[in-house]
Short mmCIF file of all heavy atoms in Angstrom, two decimals:
data_model
loop_
_atom_site.label_atom_id
_atom_site.label_comp_id
_atom_site.label_asym_id
_atom_site.label_seq_id
_atom_site.Cartn_x
_atom_site.Cartn_y
_atom_site.Cartn_z
N MET A 224 25.00 6.03 -13.81
CA MET A 224 26.21 5.46 -14.37
C MET A 224 27.00 4.73 -13.28
O MET A 224 27.54 3.65 -13.55
CB MET A 224 27.08 6.57 -14.99
CG MET A 224 26.41 7.29 -16.16
SD MET A 224 26.10 6.23 -17.57
CE MET A 224 27.67 6.25 -18.35
N GLN A 225 27.08 5.29 -12.07
CA GLN A 225 27.83 4.67 -10.98
C GLN A 225 27.29 3.29 -10.63
O GLN A 225 28.03 2.41 -10.22
CB GLN A 225 27.80 5.53 -9.72
CG GLN A 225 28.62 6.78 -9.81
CD GLN A 225 28.47 7.62 -8.56
OE1 GLN A 225 27.38 7.73 -8.01
NE2 GLN A 225 29.55 8.23 -8.13
N HIS A 226 25.98 3.10 -10.78
CA HIS A 226 25.34 1.84 -10.40
C HIS A 226 25.06 0.93 -11.59
O HIS A 226 24.44 -0.11 -11.43
CB HIS A 226 24.04 2.13 -9.65
CG HIS A 226 24.26 2.81 -8.33
ND1 HIS A 226 24.72 2.17 -7.22
CD2 HIS A 226 24.12 4.11 -7.98
CE1 HIS A 226 24.83 3.02 -6.22
NE2 HIS A 226 24.47 4.22 -6.66
N ASP A 227 25.49 1.32 -12.78
CA ASP A 227 25.27 0.54 -13.99
C ASP A 227 23.78 0.28 -14.21
O ASP A 227 23.36 -0.79 -14.62
CB ASP A 227 26.04 -0.78 -13.92
CG ASP A 227 26.19 -1.46 -15.27
OD1 ASP A 227 26.14 -0.75 -16.29
OD2 ASP A 227 26.34 -2.69 -15.30
N ALA A 228 22.96 1.29 -13.92
CA ALA A 228 21.51 1.15 -14.01
C ALA A 228 20.97 1.44 -15.41
O ALA A 228 19.81 1.20 -15.69
CB ALA A 228 20.84 2.09 -13.01
N PHE A 229 21.80 1.94 -16.27
CA PHE A 229 21.38 2.30 -17.62
C PHE A 229 21.95 1.27 -18.58
O PHE A 229 23.13 1.26 -18.86
CB PHE A 229 21.93 3.70 -17.95
CG PHE A 229 21.44 4.26 -19.24
CD1 PHE A 229 20.17 4.77 -19.36
CD2 PHE A 229 22.27 4.29 -20.35
CE1 PHE A 229 19.72 5.30 -20.56
CE2 PHE A 229 21.83 4.82 -21.55
CZ PHE A 229 20.56 5.32 -21.66
N GLN A 230 21.07 0.37 -19.08
CA GLN A 230 21.56 -0.65 -20.00
C GLN A 230 21.06 -0.33 -21.40
O GLN A 230 21.58 0.55 -22.03
CB GLN A 230 21.19 -2.03 -19.46
CG GLN A 230 21.96 -2.28 -18.17
CD GLN A 230 21.81 -3.67 -17.62
OE1 GLN A 230 21.44 -4.60 -18.32
NE2 GLN A 230 22.10 -3.82 -16.34
N CYS A 231 19.99 -0.98 -21.88
CA CYS A 231 19.54 -0.66 -23.24
C CYS A 231 18.82 0.69 -23.28
O CYS A 231 18.75 1.33 -24.32
CB CYS A 231 18.64 -1.75 -23.80
SG CYS A 231 16.94 -1.71 -23.20
N GLY A 232 18.27 1.10 -22.15
CA GLY A 232 17.61 2.40 -22.08
C GLY A 232 16.13 2.40 -22.42
O GLY A 232 15.47 3.43 -22.30
N TYR A 233 15.59 1.24 -22.81
CA TYR A 233 14.19 1.18 -23.19
C TYR A 233 13.27 1.58 -22.05
O TYR A 233 12.28 2.27 -22.25
CB TYR A 233 13.86 -0.24 -23.68
CG TYR A 233 12.49 -0.36 -24.29
CD1 TYR A 233 12.26 0.06 -25.59
CD2 TYR A 233 11.43 -0.89 -23.57
CE1 TYR A 233 11.01 -0.04 -26.17
CE2 TYR A 233 10.17 -1.00 -24.13
CZ TYR A 233 9.97 -0.57 -25.42
OH TYR A 233 8.73 -0.67 -25.98
N CYS A 234 13.56 1.16 -20.84
CA CYS A 234 12.70 1.46 -19.69
C CYS A 234 13.05 2.76 -19.00
O CYS A 234 12.32 3.21 -18.12
CB CYS A 234 12.77 0.32 -18.67
SG CYS A 234 14.35 0.23 -17.78
N THR A 235 14.15 3.36 -19.36
CA THR A 235 14.68 4.50 -18.61
C THR A 235 13.71 5.68 -18.51
O THR A 235 13.56 6.24 -17.41
CB THR A 235 16.03 4.95 -19.21
OG1 THR A 235 16.91 3.83 -19.19
CG2 THR A 235 16.65 6.07 -18.40
N PRO A 236 13.01 6.09 -19.58
CA PRO A 236 12.08 7.22 -19.41
C PRO A 236 11.02 6.95 -18.35
O PRO A 236 10.73 7.83 -17.53
CB PRO A 236 11.46 7.37 -20.81
CG PRO A 236 12.50 6.83 -21.74
CD PRO A 236 13.11 5.67 -20.99
N GLY A 237 10.45 5.76 -18.33
CA GLY A 237 9.44 5.42 -17.32
C GLY A 237 10.04 5.36 -15.94
O GLY A 237 9.42 5.80 -14.96
N GLN A 238 11.23 4.80 -15.85
CA GLN A 238 11.89 4.71 -14.54
C GLN A 238 12.15 6.12 -13.99
O GLN A 238 11.92 6.39 -12.80
CB GLN A 238 13.23 3.96 -14.65
CG GLN A 238 13.13 2.57 -15.20
CD GLN A 238 12.66 1.51 -14.20
OE1 GLN A 238 12.27 1.82 -13.08
NE2 GLN A 238 12.69 0.26 -14.62
N LEU A 239 12.60 7.01 -14.85
CA LEU A 239 12.89 8.37 -14.40
C LEU A 239 11.61 9.12 -14.02
O LEU A 239 11.60 9.86 -13.03
CB LEU A 239 13.66 9.14 -15.49
CG LEU A 239 15.08 8.66 -15.71
CD1 LEU A 239 15.71 9.40 -16.89
CD2 LEU A 239 15.93 8.83 -14.47
N CYS A 240 10.54 8.93 -14.80
CA CYS A 240 9.26 9.57 -14.44
C CYS A 240 8.79 9.09 -13.07
O CYS A 240 8.33 9.90 -12.25
CB CYS A 240 8.20 9.27 -15.50
SG CYS A 240 8.42 10.19 -17.02
N SER A 241 8.91 7.79 -12.81
CA SER A 241 8.51 7.26 -11.51
C SER A 241 9.39 7.80 -10.39
O SER A 241 8.91 8.14 -9.31
CB SER A 241 8.57 5.73 -11.50
OG SER A 241 7.58 5.20 -12.34
N ALA A 242 10.68 7.88 -10.66
CA ALA A 242 11.61 8.38 -9.64
C ALA A 242 11.31 9.83 -9.30
O ALA A 242 11.27 10.20 -8.12
CB ALA A 242 13.05 8.22 -10.12
N ILE A 243 11.08 10.65 -10.32
CA ILE A 243 10.75 12.05 -10.07
C ILE A 243 9.42 12.16 -9.32
O ILE A 243 9.27 12.96 -8.39
CB ILE A 243 10.69 12.84 -11.39
CG1 ILE A 243 12.06 12.90 -12.06
CG2 ILE A 243 10.15 14.26 -11.17
CD1 ILE A 243 13.12 13.65 -11.29
N GLY A 244 8.46 11.31 -9.72
CA GLY A 244 7.16 11.32 -9.06
C GLY A 244 7.25 10.94 -7.60
O GLY A 244 6.67 11.62 -6.74
N LEU A 245 7.99 9.90 -7.29
CA LEU A 245 8.08 9.50 -5.88
C LEU A 245 8.87 10.51 -5.06
O LEU A 245 8.59 10.70 -3.87
CB LEU A 245 8.59 8.07 -5.72
CG LEU A 245 10.04 7.72 -5.97
CD1 LEU A 245 10.89 7.89 -4.73
CD2 LEU A 245 10.12 6.28 -6.45
N MET A 246 9.82 11.18 -5.68
CA MET A 246 10.52 12.25 -4.96
C MET A 246 9.57 13.40 -4.68
O MET A 246 9.58 13.98 -3.59
CB MET A 246 11.73 12.74 -5.77
CG MET A 246 12.88 11.76 -5.78
SD MET A 246 14.28 12.34 -6.76
CE MET A 246 14.93 13.60 -5.67
N GLY A 247 8.73 13.73 -5.66
CA GLY A 247 7.79 14.82 -5.48
C GLY A 247 6.76 14.52 -4.41
O GLY A 247 6.34 15.43 -3.68
N GLU A 248 6.36 13.25 -4.31
CA GLU A 248 5.39 12.86 -3.29
C GLU A 248 6.00 12.82 -1.90
O GLU A 248 5.30 12.99 -0.91
CB GLU A 248 4.80 11.49 -3.63
CG GLU A 248 3.91 11.51 -4.85
CD GLU A 248 3.44 10.12 -5.22
OE1 GLU A 248 3.92 9.13 -4.64
OE2 GLU A 248 2.59 10.03 -6.12
N GLY A 249 7.30 12.57 -1.82
CA GLY A 249 7.99 12.55 -0.53
C GLY A 249 7.58 11.39 0.37
O GLY A 249 7.77 11.45 1.58
N ARG A 250 7.06 10.30 -0.22
CA ARG A 250 6.62 9.16 0.61
C ARG A 250 7.70 8.12 0.80
O ARG A 250 7.57 7.25 1.66
CB ARG A 250 5.40 8.49 -0.02
CG ARG A 250 4.18 9.37 -0.01
CD ARG A 250 2.93 8.60 -0.40
NE ARG A 250 3.05 8.02 -1.73
CZ ARG A 250 2.50 6.86 -2.09
NH1 ARG A 250 1.80 6.17 -1.23
NH2 ARG A 250 2.64 6.41 -3.31
N ALA A 251 8.75 8.16 0.03
CA ALA A 251 9.80 7.15 0.12
C ALA A 251 10.76 7.50 1.24
O ALA A 251 11.47 8.49 1.17
CB ALA A 251 10.54 7.04 -1.21
N ARG A 252 10.76 6.69 2.27
CA ARG A 252 11.64 6.91 3.42
C ARG A 252 12.73 5.85 3.52
O ARG A 252 13.72 6.04 4.21
CB ARG A 252 10.83 6.89 4.71
CG ARG A 252 9.73 7.93 4.76
CD ARG A 252 10.30 9.28 5.15
NE ARG A 252 9.23 10.25 5.28
CZ ARG A 252 9.11 11.31 4.49
NH1 ARG A 252 9.98 11.52 3.53
NH2 ARG A 252 8.14 12.16 4.65
N THR A 253 12.50 4.71 2.86
CA THR A 253 13.46 3.61 2.93
C THR A 253 13.67 3.03 1.53
O THR A 253 12.91 3.30 0.60
CB THR A 253 12.94 2.47 3.83
OG1 THR A 253 11.78 1.89 3.21
CG2 THR A 253 12.56 2.99 5.22
N ARG A 254 14.69 2.17 1.43
CA ARG A 254 14.95 1.48 0.17
C ARG A 254 13.75 0.61 -0.22
O ARG A 254 13.42 0.51 -1.39
CB ARG A 254 16.22 0.63 0.35
CG ARG A 254 16.63 -0.14 -0.87
CD ARG A 254 17.87 -0.97 -0.56
NE ARG A 254 18.12 -1.93 -1.59
CZ ARG A 254 18.84 -1.69 -2.68
NH1 ARG A 254 19.39 -0.52 -2.84
NH2 ARG A 254 19.03 -2.62 -3.58
N GLU A 255 13.10 0.00 0.75
CA GLU A 255 11.92 -0.82 0.47
C GLU A 255 10.78 0.04 -0.07
O GLU A 255 10.03 -0.40 -0.94
CB GLU A 255 11.46 -1.58 1.73
CG GLU A 255 12.16 -2.89 1.93
CD GLU A 255 12.04 -3.81 0.73
OE1 GLU A 255 10.91 -4.13 0.31
OE2 GLU A 255 13.09 -4.22 0.21
N ASP A 256 10.63 1.26 0.46
CA ASP A 256 9.61 2.18 -0.07
C ASP A 256 9.89 2.47 -1.54
O ASP A 256 8.98 2.47 -2.37
CB ASP A 256 9.61 3.51 0.69
CG ASP A 256 9.13 3.39 2.12
OD1 ASP A 256 8.45 2.40 2.44
OD2 ASP A 256 9.43 4.31 2.91
N VAL A 257 11.13 2.74 -1.86
CA VAL A 257 11.51 3.03 -3.25
C VAL A 257 11.21 1.83 -4.13
O VAL A 257 10.63 1.95 -5.20
CB VAL A 257 13.00 3.44 -3.35
CG1 VAL A 257 13.42 3.58 -4.81
CG2 VAL A 257 13.26 4.73 -2.58
N ARG A 258 11.56 0.63 -3.65
CA ARG A 258 11.30 -0.59 -4.42
C ARG A 258 9.82 -0.74 -4.70
O ARG A 258 9.42 -1.01 -5.83
CB ARG A 258 11.83 -1.82 -3.69
CG ARG A 258 11.80 -3.09 -4.53
CD ARG A 258 12.17 -4.32 -3.73
NE ARG A 258 11.19 -4.59 -2.70
CZ ARG A 258 10.00 -5.15 -2.92
NH1 ARG A 258 9.66 -5.52 -4.14
NH2 ARG A 258 9.18 -5.36 -1.92
N GLU A 259 8.99 -0.55 -3.69
CA GLU A 259 7.55 -0.70 -3.85
C GLU A 259 6.99 0.36 -4.80
O GLU A 259 6.18 0.07 -5.68
CB GLU A 259 6.85 -0.60 -2.48
CG GLU A 259 5.35 -0.70 -2.53
CD GLU A 259 4.84 -2.03 -3.08
OE1 GLU A 259 5.55 -3.04 -2.94
OE2 GLU A 259 3.73 -2.04 -3.64
N LEU A 260 7.41 1.60 -4.64
CA LEU A 260 6.87 2.69 -5.45
C LEU A 260 7.36 2.64 -6.90
O LEU A 260 6.73 3.20 -7.78
CB LEU A 260 7.21 4.04 -4.80
CG LEU A 260 6.49 4.29 -3.47
CD1 LEU A 260 7.10 5.47 -2.74
CD2 LEU A 260 5.00 4.49 -3.69
N MET A 261 8.47 1.95 -7.15
CA MET A 261 9.00 1.79 -8.51
C MET A 261 8.52 0.48 -9.14
O MET A 261 8.88 0.18 -10.28
CB MET A 261 10.53 1.78 -8.48
CG MET A 261 11.17 3.06 -8.02
SD MET A 261 11.11 4.39 -9.23
CE MET A 261 12.15 3.73 -10.52
N SER A 262 7.69 -0.29 -8.44
CA SER A 262 7.40 -1.66 -8.86
C SER A 262 6.57 -1.76 -10.14
O SER A 262 6.49 -2.83 -10.73
CB SER A 262 6.71 -2.43 -7.74
OG SER A 262 5.44 -1.86 -7.47
N GLY A 263 5.95 -0.70 -10.61
CA GLY A 263 5.16 -0.77 -11.82
C GLY A 263 5.95 -0.71 -13.10
O GLY A 263 5.39 -0.86 -14.19
N ASN A 264 7.23 -0.53 -13.01
CA ASN A 264 8.08 -0.43 -14.19
C ASN A 264 8.71 -1.77 -14.53
O ASN A 264 9.26 -2.43 -13.67
CB ASN A 264 9.21 0.59 -13.94
CG ASN A 264 8.67 1.98 -13.82
OD1 ASN A 264 8.23 2.56 -14.79
ND2 ASN A 264 8.69 2.51 -12.61
N LEU A 265 8.64 -2.13 -15.80
CA LEU A 265 9.28 -3.35 -16.26
C LEU A 265 10.60 -3.03 -16.94
O LEU A 265 10.69 -2.06 -17.68
CB LEU A 265 8.38 -4.09 -17.24
CG LEU A 265 7.03 -4.52 -16.70
CD1 LEU A 265 6.23 -5.22 -17.79
CD2 LEU A 265 7.18 -5.42 -15.49
N CYS A 266 11.60 -3.84 -16.66
CA CYS A 266 12.91 -3.68 -17.29
C CYS A 266 13.29 -5.00 -17.94
O CYS A 266 13.54 -5.99 -17.26
CB CYS A 266 13.96 -3.28 -16.24
SG CYS A 266 15.63 -3.15 -16.90
N ARG A 267 13.29 -5.01 -19.26
CA ARG A 267 13.60 -6.25 -19.98
C ARG A 267 15.04 -6.68 -19.77
O ARG A 267 15.37 -7.85 -19.95
CB ARG A 267 13.31 -6.06 -21.48
CG ARG A 267 11.84 -5.87 -21.77
CD ARG A 267 11.62 -5.44 -23.19
NE ARG A 267 12.27 -6.35 -24.11
CZ ARG A 267 11.72 -6.85 -25.19
NH1 ARG A 267 10.50 -6.49 -25.53
NH2 ARG A 267 12.37 -7.65 -25.97
N CYS A 268 15.89 -5.77 -19.42
CA CYS A 268 17.29 -6.11 -19.18
C CYS A 268 17.52 -6.69 -17.79
O CYS A 268 18.60 -7.19 -17.50
CB CYS A 268 18.17 -4.87 -19.35
SG CYS A 268 18.16 -4.23 -21.03
N GLY A 269 16.51 -6.58 -16.92
CA GLY A 269 16.66 -7.12 -15.58
C GLY A 269 17.60 -6.33 -14.71
O GLY A 269 18.27 -6.89 -13.83
N ALA A 270 17.63 -5.02 -14.93
CA ALA A 270 18.55 -4.17 -14.17
C ALA A 270 17.90 -3.62 -12.90
O ALA A 270 18.28 -2.56 -12.40
CB ALA A 270 19.05 -3.02 -15.04
N TYR A 271 16.95 -4.35 -12.37
CA TYR A 271 16.18 -3.84 -11.22
C TYR A 271 17.04 -3.47 -10.03
O TYR A 271 16.84 -2.42 -9.41
CB TYR A 271 15.12 -4.85 -10.78
CG TYR A 271 14.07 -5.10 -11.82
CD1 TYR A 271 14.02 -6.31 -12.49
CD2 TYR A 271 13.12 -4.13 -12.12
CE1 TYR A 271 13.05 -6.55 -13.45
CE2 TYR A 271 12.15 -4.35 -13.08
CZ TYR A 271 12.11 -5.57 -13.74
OH TYR A 271 11.16 -5.79 -14.69
N VAL A 272 17.98 -4.30 -9.68
CA VAL A 272 18.80 -4.03 -8.50
C VAL A 272 19.63 -2.77 -8.71
O VAL A 272 19.72 -1.90 -7.83
CB VAL A 272 19.70 -5.24 -8.15
CG1 VAL A 272 20.66 -4.89 -7.03
CG2 VAL A 272 18.85 -6.43 -7.76
N GLN A 273 20.21 -2.64 -9.90
CA GLN A 273 21.02 -1.46 -10.18
C GLN A 273 20.16 -0.19 -10.21
O GLN A 273 20.57 0.86 -9.72
CB GLN A 273 21.75 -1.61 -11.52
CG GLN A 273 22.73 -2.76 -11.56
CD GLN A 273 22.12 -4.02 -12.17
OE1 GLN A 273 21.03 -4.44 -11.80
NE2 GLN A 273 22.83 -4.63 -13.10
N ILE A 274 18.98 -0.29 -10.81
CA ILE A 274 18.06 0.86 -10.86
C ILE A 274 17.64 1.23 -9.45
O ILE A 274 17.63 2.41 -9.08
CB ILE A 274 16.85 0.54 -11.76
CG1 ILE A 274 17.30 0.40 -13.21
CG2 ILE A 274 15.77 1.62 -11.61
CD1 ILE A 274 16.26 -0.20 -14.14
N LEU A 275 17.30 0.24 -8.64
CA LEU A 275 16.91 0.50 -7.25
C LEU A 275 18.06 1.15 -6.49
O LEU A 275 17.85 2.11 -5.73
CB LEU A 275 16.48 -0.79 -6.57
CG LEU A 275 16.10 -0.69 -5.10
CD1 LEU A 275 14.93 0.28 -4.89
CD2 LEU A 275 15.76 -2.07 -4.55
N ASP A 276 19.27 0.67 -6.70
CA ASP A 276 20.44 1.28 -6.04
C ASP A 276 20.57 2.75 -6.44
O ASP A 276 20.78 3.61 -5.58
CB ASP A 276 21.72 0.54 -6.43
CG ASP A 276 21.83 -0.84 -5.80
OD1 ASP A 276 21.07 -1.13 -4.86
OD2 ASP A 276 22.67 -1.63 -6.28
N ALA A 277 20.46 3.03 -7.72
CA ALA A 277 20.65 4.41 -8.20
C ALA A 277 19.54 5.33 -7.71
O ALA A 277 19.81 6.42 -7.20
CB ALA A 277 20.69 4.41 -9.73
N VAL A 278 18.29 4.90 -7.84
CA VAL A 278 17.17 5.75 -7.42
C VAL A 278 17.19 5.93 -5.90
O VAL A 278 16.98 7.04 -5.40
CB VAL A 278 15.82 5.17 -7.90
CG1 VAL A 278 14.65 5.96 -7.34
CG2 VAL A 278 15.78 5.18 -9.43
N SER A 279 17.47 4.87 -5.18
CA SER A 279 17.50 4.97 -3.71
C SER A 279 18.56 5.94 -3.25
O SER A 279 18.33 6.73 -2.33
CB SER A 279 17.77 3.59 -3.08
OG SER A 279 16.70 2.72 -3.31
N GLU A 280 19.72 5.90 -3.88
CA GLU A 280 20.78 6.82 -3.49
C GLU A 280 20.34 8.26 -3.64
O GLU A 280 20.52 9.08 -2.74
CB GLU A 280 22.03 6.58 -4.31
CG GLU A 280 23.17 7.50 -3.92
CD GLU A 280 24.44 7.25 -4.72
OE1 GLU A 280 24.82 6.08 -4.86
OE2 GLU A 280 25.02 8.22 -5.21
N VAL A 281 19.72 8.59 -4.75
CA VAL A 281 19.29 9.96 -5.00
C VAL A 281 18.11 10.36 -4.13
O VAL A 281 18.11 11.41 -3.48
CB VAL A 281 18.94 10.16 -6.50
CG1 VAL A 281 18.34 11.54 -6.73
CG2 VAL A 281 20.17 9.94 -7.35
N VAL A 282 17.10 9.50 -4.07
CA VAL A 282 15.88 9.81 -3.31
C VAL A 282 16.18 9.93 -1.83
O VAL A 282 15.76 10.89 -1.17
CB VAL A 282 14.79 8.75 -3.56
CG1 VAL A 282 13.64 8.92 -2.58
CG2 VAL A 282 14.30 8.85 -4.98
N LEU A 283 16.90 8.97 -1.28
CA LEU A 283 17.12 8.96 0.16
C LEU A 283 18.13 10.02 0.58
O LEU A 283 18.10 10.48 1.72
CB LEU A 283 17.54 7.57 0.62
CG LEU A 283 16.50 6.48 0.31
CD1 LEU A 283 17.01 5.11 0.74
CD2 LEU A 283 15.16 6.78 0.95
N ALA A 284 18.96 10.47 -0.35
CA ALA A 284 19.91 11.54 -0.03
C ALA A 284 19.27 12.91 -0.11
O ALA A 284 19.61 13.81 0.63
CB ALA A 284 21.11 11.47 -0.97
N ASN A 285 18.30 13.04 -1.02
CA ASN A 285 17.73 14.36 -1.26
C ASN A 285 16.32 14.54 -0.72
O ASN A 285 15.85 15.68 -0.61
CB ASN A 285 17.72 14.65 -2.77
CG ASN A 285 19.12 14.75 -3.31
OD1 ASN A 285 19.95 15.44 -2.73
ND2 ASN A 285 19.40 14.05 -4.38
N GLY A 286 15.61 13.46 -0.45
CA GLY A 286 14.26 13.57 0.06
C GLY A 286 13.31 14.18 -0.93
O GLY A 286 13.46 14.03 -2.13
N LYS A 287 12.36 14.91 -0.44
CA LYS A 287 11.30 15.48 -1.27
C LYS A 287 11.81 16.66 -2.08
O LYS A 287 12.56 17.49 -1.56
CB LYS A 287 10.14 15.93 -0.39
CG LYS A 287 8.96 16.43 -1.16
CD LYS A 287 7.84 16.81 -0.21
CE LYS A 287 6.66 17.32 -1.02
NZ LYS A 287 5.52 17.65 -0.16
N LEU A 288 11.38 16.70 -3.34
CA LEU A 288 11.71 17.85 -4.17
C LEU A 288 10.97 19.09 -3.70
O LEU A 288 9.85 19.00 -3.23
CB LEU A 288 11.33 17.59 -5.63
CG LEU A 288 12.18 16.58 -6.38
CD1 LEU A 288 11.60 16.35 -7.76
CD2 LEU A 288 13.60 17.07 -6.50
N ALA A 289 11.59 20.23 -3.82
CA ALA A 289 10.93 21.48 -3.40
C ALA A 289 9.85 21.85 -4.39
O ALA A 289 9.88 21.52 -5.53
CB ALA A 289 11.95 22.60 -3.32
S1 FES B 197 17.58 -1.04 -19.21
FE1 FES B 197 16.85 -2.23 -20.83
S2 FES B 197 14.76 -2.48 -20.39
FE2 FES B 197 15.55 -1.52 -18.63
#
């Protein structure tokens, strides 16, 4: 919500699955890593920058899930 990453919501389930997956893998160390690892998701609303901002904030702040 802070990054306005949730628009129509059509892509959100896939985006969240990818975000949880990349957190579980623990390979994302930078914003560019997050961008690359999230690159398979399409967003018809074009909210890529906002989604990247939101996922990067969470992933880079919390690192790998236990
Ligand atoms: S938020 Fe609408 S398709 Fe991504």
